[in-house]
Amino acid sequence: MNNKRIVITGIGIVSPLGNDTQTTWKNLLAGKSGVDTIKKFDASTFTTKVGAEVENFSLAETTISRKIQRYAIDFTKYALAAAAEAFNDAAIRPTQTNATRWGITVGCGMIAAEFDYLSKFQQQFAADGAVDMAKFGKHGLNSISASQFSRMQSNAGIGLLAQQFNIQGYTAAVHTACASGGQGLALGLQAIRRGDCDYVLAGGFDSMLNPIGLAGFCLLGALSSHNETPQSASRPFDLTRNGFVLGEGAAFLILEEYNHAKARNAKIYAELAGEGTTNSCYRITDSHPDGDGAIQAMQAAIKDADVALENIQYVNAHGTSTKMNDISETNALKQVFGPQAKQLAISSTKGQIGHLISAAGAIEGAFTALSIQQQKIPMTAHLTTPDPECDLDYVADKPRDLTINTAMSNSFGFGGTNSVLIFKAVE
């Protein structure tokens, strides 16, 4: 199965840096920050008041059907737009003759119920703090419509994507927190290798920029409190880092077998060559200090891709800007690469786009593919005070031109799940 070469022929992105791939990539390389004070709701009383929001987005301006739009919540709308761009970029779509050979694999968001609905429920049926079941039993059916109920199901997003784009083959959705998007791409790779599909729409989408999501991560102490300097609040690998910044968005890739892509003369960004998934079994929120779990995932991905360590030039790091994660990832890279770790170019894009949670691995996979195609890597923004415990080359000054034959993208999630992807240049 591993003899099949799976390549990326389309990319679609909705992010805090732009509502399409070209704008996002341009702003990323220009060093712009998508992080600012939260505007979607009043976060003034929260310990963290900053986020990386998608701005000036409208699904109404796309070709997505009106019916599909009615059933989509905000981050599902991001997914629909990003997927449409990926299909257009690849110049291919499912047809009536091959729809069953198309698959869809996604990392999807954690919270499906919209905050506005929960707030309305509380006001109507739990104004005093306890749910009035008698009142709810009498009037509950009038408080929500069938379409509202349907759009809040955890499988609503992948269902709408499949319906909009006529994908009738293999389907899989996963939620492993921050590793979800990476696993979405990995599942697509596996599906084509097994012969379940010829083509896959693979990616991730999420938004936890709402009062419940922000409150939860504040309670965990995971978020940056650099509220006075919002645009530089996310500082991966910097000594002054004190947490990540919540972001939102979606990213999708079109995956297909190399021979199919060549036969139709498709544009090819890169090859998705290998993946590794493990679980650290350490803590619900922290990575193992020594990098255990992440180490095994990297080693598994490298073995799966059948590449030599010395042929890997670039690592798109998970790099969350939390104290423990950045040290853990640094230690893991040193353990896996040994002395060669000092020769790697490493960067985290979360300093500019925040942490997209379930979409993080997908958008960072897209960035890695773009880095290979353009032979240019983004910088690690806001790394101005070196941390002695994070002593590798994190490309801190500016984007770098680099000959990249092989690159790695890391995603490590709450709960301990580790997803690592290997990308290659296509000769």
Side-chain angles (χ1 to χ4, degrees):
M1 290 192 298
N2 289 9
N3 290 332
K4 290 185 178 180
R5 298 179 66 191
I6 316 305
V7 295
I8 299 157
T9 56
I11 297 177
I13 294 173
V14 173
S15 82
L17 286 177
N19 296 331
D20 57 63
T21 301
Q22 182 178 359
T23 304
T24 296
W25 184 247
K26 178 182 177 181
N27 287 335
L28 185 70
L29 294 182
K32 293 186 178 180
S33 176
V35 181
D36 207 337
T37 302
I38 293 172
K39 302 179 182 68
K40 285 192 169 185
F41 59 93
D42 182 5
S44 60
T45 58
F46 288 77
T47 53
T48 291
K49 303 169 179 59
V50 299
E53 298 174 308
V54 171
E55 296 184 342
N56 303 316
F57 174 84
S58 175
L59 192 62
E61 299 173 3
T62 70
T63 58
I64 304 300
S65 78
R66 295 283 183 89
K67 179 181 178 182
I68 295 293
Q69 292 188 37
R70 275 202 314 272
Y71 284 90
I73 59 178
D74 280 351
F75 64 81
T76 304
K77 292 177 182 178
Y78 303 154
L80 288 161
E85 184 191 8
F87 278 117
N88 291 337
D89 187 39
I92 191 171
R93 284 178 181 254
T95 66
Q96 289 304 317
T97 57
N98 71 7
T100 59
R101 298 301 301 164
W102 273 88
I104 176 171
T105 57
V106 301
C108 56
M110 184 184 301
I111 296 177
E114 296 171 288
F115 181 78
D116 288 346
Y117 166 72
L118 297 176
S119 179
K120 179 182 176 182
F121 178 90
Q122 187 273 332
Q123 291 168 12
Q124 286 186 303
F125 304 111
D128 296 327
V131 178
D132 186 336
M133 292 305 298
K135 187 176 181 181
F136 180 66
K138 186 175 181 180
H139 302 291
L141 288 178
N142 298 325
S143 69
I144 185 172
S145 67
S147 62
Q148 280 181 306
F149 178 74
S150 297
R151 62 193 266 169
M152 290 191 295
Q153 303 308 301
S154 59
N155 68 331
I158 193 170
L160 293 175
L161 286 162
Q163 186 178 355
Q164 172 66 37
F165 300 108
N166 191 33
I167 298 172
Q168 299 179 26
Y170 180 84
T171 304
V174 62
H175 180 73
T176 46
C178 321
S180 305
Q183 284 197 277
L185 301 186
L187 288 170
L189 170 68
Q190 295 167 2
I192 298 178
R193 279 181 175 175
R194 289 194 305 266
D196 292 343
C197 307
D198 297 322
Y199 316 90
V200 172
L201 173 68
F205 55 101
D206 202 357
S207 175
M208 296 194 69
L209 273 169
N210 57 65
I212 293 177
L214 186 66
F217 283 114
C218 283
L219 288 170
L220 291 171
L223 299 182
S224 171
S225 59
H226 292 298
N227 297 307
E228 298 78 13
T229 53
Q231 294 193 336
S232 62
S234 179
R235 307 171 184 181
F237 303 106
D238 190 86
L239 183 65
T240 65
R241 70 190 183 278
N242 65 4
F244 67 82
V245 170
L246 275 174
E248 61 181 355
F252 280 92
L253 310 182
I254 300 297
L255 306 180
E256 59 183 291
E257 196 173 351
Y258 174 75
N259 290 334
H260 291 167
K262 289 296 289 183
R264 68 183 188 87
N265 198 29
K267 170 180 60 182
I268 297 175
Y269 287 95
E271 177 183 352
L272 180 52
E275 65 88 17
T277 301
T278 64
N279 197 296
S280 299
C281 295
Y282 179 62
R283 288 179 182 164
I284 192 76
T285 55
D286 293 333
S287 302
H288 194 287
D290 296 334
D292 189 53
I295 292 170
Q296 288 77 28
M298 291 187 209
Q299 291 172 334
I302 291 166
K303 180 179 180 181
D304 187 44
D306 192 25
V307 296
L309 287 177
E310 58 268 22
N311 289 334
I312 299 175
Q313 294 84 25
Y314 171 55
V315 176
N316 185 293
H318 187 53
T320 59
S321 181
T322 58
K323 284 289 184 183
M324 182 58 72
N325 173 85
D326 293 2
I327 294 172
S328 174
E329 186 168 13
T330 297
N331 290 337
L333 288 166
K334 290 178 179 178
Q335 181 65 33
V336 171
F337 286 90
Q340 189 196 330
K342 293 285 187 179
Q343 309 304 316
L344 289 169
I346 305 163
S347 67
S348 169
T349 53
K350 290 185 175 72
Q352 293 174 254
I353 64 168
H355 192 339
L356 274 59
I357 312 299
S358 292
I363 194 170
E364 289 159 18
F367 289 159
T368 307
L370 286 164
S371 292
I372 289 175
Q373 185 214 30
Q374 300 192 16
Q375 299 289 280
K376 183 183 288 287
I377 58 177
M379 66 187 288
T380 301
H382 315 128
L383 202 175
T384 57
T385 309
D387 183 343
E389 294 189 80
C390 298
D391 56 353
L392 300 178
D393 177 8
Y394 302 110
V395 192
D397 50 352
K398 61 182 179 179
R400 182 180 301 174
D401 293 325
L402 182 70
T403 300
I404 308 172
N405 298 313
T406 308
M408 173 186 289
S409 182
N410 292 337
S411 299
F412 310 135
F414 273 24
T417 305
N418 308 288
S419 174
V420 176
L421 302 170
I422 300 292
F423 298 80
K424 290 181 181 178
V426 176
E427 298 176 2

